[in-house]
Amino acid sequence: MTDHADVIVVGAGLAGLAATYELTRAGRRVIVVDQENEANLGGQAFWSLGGLFFVNSPEQRRMGIKDSHELALADWLGSAGFDRDREDHWPRRWAHAYVDFAAGEKRSYLYGLGLRVTPMVGWAERGAGTATGHGNSVPRFHLTWGTGPEVVRVFREPVLAAAGRGLVTFRHRHRVDEVIVENGAAVGVRGTVLVPSAEPRGVASSRAAAGGFELRAQAVVVTSGGIGGDHRLVRESWPVERLGPAPESMITGVPAYVDGRMLGIAESAGASIVNRDRMWHYTEGIKNWDPIWPDHAIRIIPGPSSLWLDATGKRLPAPLFPGHDTLGTLRHILGTGHDHTWFLLTRAIVEKEFALSGSEQNPDITGKDWKLVMARVRKGAPGPVRAFLDHGEDFVVRRTLRELVDGMNAIVPGPALDLAAVERQVVARDREVGNAYSKDLQLMTVNNARSYWPDRLTRVAKPHRLLDPAHGPLIAVRLRVLTRKTLGGLETTLDSQVVRPDGEVFDGLYAAGEAAGFGGGGVHGYNALEGTFLGGCVFSGRAAGRALARSLA
């Protein structure tokens, strides 16, 4: 089968929709090619919590947050740690451009499409403990009202409307196997038509072939995502020298179609891939008791109060506290020689501080139901958290510490935790709670978080003794490494045009979203500040669409 258009967009996720939206605004004809069925339009973004990184927003100002472009850029560069002359050339430029966007027109651009955010600004990835290093100095995590499905909707609807006008053609169940290059320029794609699939969104689908196809256009935009669904590719790119050996076992935070195939296909066509060893995986993963995709994992988004123990029962060192330094914590955990850790907490902490990643785990915000949202400030855990307490294989709930440690030992083959060693750490921590101040850095962090009144109201439990039965029962949660984001990728200019290994632009080939390391081949550098992934898809997809709208004949 052969077809023609102005542009072919490979991947129907958020970056692909953003690029297509901008192209159709300019009247360009687009073919969107995706290996999944139409139920998966919007891709991985649909499953996200919908966090967005804004700088000096009205929501921040109403919360009393003093943010600025200067502070955000310092945080970004301190977190990114760019240190590669060749591979970080374009990522550095993208970092400056993205912070400009986040502090400038990003909010008005999305608001113009109909997107809204909740009034409370979250404080994610609080950092490694210094003013110059990794982390957000202030809260910047703006939660979309409607979560990931709403971010998808504001681009999906105008793209579908453009399809109704004949500007967009969808080729679902079309898997690209080759970028067609003629006279040094990308002019189309070839691939396999997969058998029809009626599987619901996110469920793994058949890869059986039903035929072939060829599509031609003036340009090709690769927006096919990263490698997080393929543990083999994750292990091949794992930065052993920086993080230590890859975990023996990991659980999966993305659908199976996040398979990284197009990265290798684009590279075979002549594209440059940079920073492939940079990646973003979470340490607070739990098995989903009601899975959608294979080995489906959920991330706990914790408040700062849980006592974090390694697999042997030792407390993680400062400043590796919940919600602070994702990759620093990952590096420490892998250095222990074990793949899992433990949160130890109370019912009072889980009710106040536990949130779960994913649109499907937050039906109140996803469904735009203020009545359900207000239930979060009342006593009791949110419904999805209660379901994990009742059904999750990683949760242990007991009345006494002895019973809790016995339960923890019962769900892992080893190493066995020693009750006396765990008790010494819990008792030492509890001694520090008696005053409003402490030498315990984690309790200092808790008090700092509670000085931000939205956290005190909705997110951070009042300090209390873990062994106080009034706040019980005790809870332990086994945590594992959850695969998620690719921070490196196809090297691109600020117009999202792919670069060749010699530094020259690749005529006709563009890339956006996670496939491009969210811009340039690694806009985040070594660390992400959170709320930056969806925005990176929008920004880089928009850049590709606008550049092509200007330049095409």
Side-chain angles (χ1 to χ4, degrees):
M1 180 181 65
T2 304
D3 208 341
H4 298 272
D6 294 318
V7 178
I8 296 166
V9 173
V10 183
L14 180 59
L17 290 177
T20 302
Y21 167 69
E22 291 293 342
L23 285 161
T24 58
R25 288 181 68 198
R28 302 298 185 178
R29 292 180 62 245
V30 183
I31 299 174
V32 179
V33 183
D34 195 276
Q35 64 183 348
E36 298 303 317
N37 63 21
E38 56 271 22
N40 288 277
L41 193 61
Q44 189 180 342
F46 180 92
W47 300 106
S48 77
L49 189 57
L52 294 167
F53 178 94
F54 294 135
V55 177
N56 192 28
S57 69
E59 291 77 22
Q60 286 177 301
R61 294 193 293 271
R62 281 194 290 269
M63 297 294 104
I65 299 164
K66 297 179 180 179
D67 200 6
S68 67
H69 178 279
E70 179 184 22
L71 182 61
L73 184 60
D75 284 349
W76 193 291
L77 296 178
S79 298
F82 295 126
D83 59 2
R84 298 170 177 173
D85 290 341
R86 166 69 176 86
E87 294 193 337
D88 283 336
H89 170 72
W90 286 111
R92 282 191 185 95
R93 296 188 64 181
W94 272 91
H96 283 266
Y98 186 75
V99 174
D100 290 348
F101 181 57
E105 67 171 310
K106 179 181 178 182
R107 187 177 181 278
S108 61
Y109 177 74
L110 292 171
Y111 263 52
L113 286 164
L115 185 139
R116 299 294 181 267
V117 297
T118 61
M120 299 290 194
V121 184
W123 196 354
E125 204 64 16
R126 301 181 187 213
T130 66
T132 56
H134 170 57
N136 286 296
S137 296
V138 298
R140 296 192 177 104
F141 191 89
H142 295 69
L143 184 57
T144 298
W145 183 233
T147 67
E150 182 70 1
V151 181
V152 170
R153 180 195 69 80
V154 302
F155 288 97
R156 184 191 67 236
E157 289 186 352
V159 167
L160 291 177
R165 301 194 303 272
L167 290 175
V168 179
T169 303
F170 290 98
R171 293 283 183 256
H172 295 292
R173 301 295 289 162
H174 282 52
R175 185 186 67 197
V176 173
D177 300 322
E178 178 188 356
V179 176
I180 303 170
V181 180
E182 294 177 354
N183 298 319
V187 296
V189 294
R190 293 190 186 98
T192 304
V193 179
L194 303 176
V195 296
S197 168
E199 299 290 353
R201 182 188 287 273
V203 175
S205 62
S206 171
R207 290 294 177 262
F213 72 92
E214 179 177 310
L215 301 170
R216 296 273 177 156
Q218 296 184 62
V220 175
V221 184
V222 177
T223 61
S224 53
I227 65 174
D230 187 330
H231 290 192
R232 178 186 61 82
L233 289 178
V234 170
R235 294 180 191 283
E236 285 180 3
S237 299
W238 192 271
V240 175
E241 292 185 0
R242 192 170 73 252
L243 293 181
E248 290 186 9
S249 65
M250 297 181 284
I251 48 181
T252 310
V254 295
Y257 56 70
V258 186
D259 57 16
R261 287 185 72 256
M262 278 304 301
L263 294 174
I265 290 166
E267 187 175 33
S268 295
S272 171
I273 294 180
V274 294
N275 301 311
R276 59 178 90 222
D277 64 311
R278 294 178 182 169
M279 51 186 68
W280 190 254
H281 306 302
Y282 290 112
T283 54
E284 311 98 335
I286 53 176
K287 269 291 196 70
N288 191 351
W289 67 272
D290 186 20
I292 296 170
W293 53 78
D295 214 20
H296 186 176
I298 298 294
R299 182 202 175 199
I300 294 172
I301 306 174
S305 301
S306 297
L307 192 66
W308 206 339
L309 307 178
D310 69 18
T312 69
K314 295 178 182 177
R315 190 175 180 183
L316 267 61
L320 304 182
F321 309 131
H324 279 66
D325 183 358
T326 294
L327 293 190
T329 305
L330 177 59
R331 181 169 55 249
H332 175 81
I333 291 169
L334 296 179
T336 69
H338 301 285
D339 296 345
H340 72 278
T341 58
W342 296 96
F343 275 168
L344 201 156
L345 60 155
T346 64
R347 184 84 182 195
I349 293 173
V350 83
E351 289 178 353
K352 188 84 166 183
E353 297 195 3
F354 266 31
L356 301 172
S357 66
S359 55
E360 82 284 7
Q361 300 296 330
N362 294 272
D364 49 354
I365 302 170
T366 301
K368 302 181 183 180
D369 188 330
W370 275 115
K371 184 177 179 181
L372 280 178
V373 171
M374 294 309 296
R376 291 187 180 224
V377 302
R378 297 197 292 267
K379 185 175 177 60
V385 174
R386 284 200 309 273
F388 272 91
L389 286 169
D390 294 339
H391 305 295
E393 65 179 71
D394 297 304
F395 286 74
V396 182
V397 182
R398 299 290 190 272
R399 288 290 172 184
T400 69
L401 188 61
R402 177 180 294 277
E403 293 171 323
L404 188 75
V405 172
D406 287 344
M408 295 161 73
N409 284 330
I411 68 169
V412 294
L417 299 170
D418 178 69
L419 171 63
V422 173
E423 187 173 36
R424 280 195 299 271
Q425 293 175 97
V426 172
V427 170
R429 180 260 182 210
D430 280 1
R431 281 198 300 263
E432 297 292 316
V433 179
N435 294 292
Y437 41 86
S438 171
K439 73 176 182 181
D440 188 298
L441 280 174
Q442 184 173 6
L443 290 175
M444 293 183 196
T445 292
V446 170
N447 289 325
N448 183 48
R450 285 178 62 83
S451 70
Y452 174 50
W453 71 263
D455 269 3
R456 185 172 67 252
L457 178 65
T458 66
R459 196 72 177 94
V460 182
K462 184 177 180 180
H464 58 270
R465 291 186 298 113
L466 297 178
L467 297 181
D468 183 349
H471 294 280
L474 289 165
I475 299 168
V477 188
R478 177 180 54 179
L479 307 172
R480 287 176 274 182
V481 176
L482 175 154
T483 63
R484 185 60 67 85
K485 295 297 182 186
T486 310
L487 297 189
L490 292 166
E491 188 177 13
T492 60
T493 71
L494 289 178
D495 284 336
S496 290
Q497 187 163 17
V498 171
V499 173
R500 292 180 178 276
D502 62 3
E504 295 298 314
V505 297
F506 193 143
D507 287 345
L509 190 61
Y510 293 71
E514 193 174 351
F518 301 91
V523 65
H524 299 92
Y526 290 100
N527 287 286
L529 288 174
E530 296 288 19
T532 56
F533 299 132
L534 294 179
C537 288
V538 170
F539 186 52
S540 57
R542 187 181 88 143
R546 289 188 172 186
L548 283 165
R550 291 192 305 266
S551 64
L552 291 182

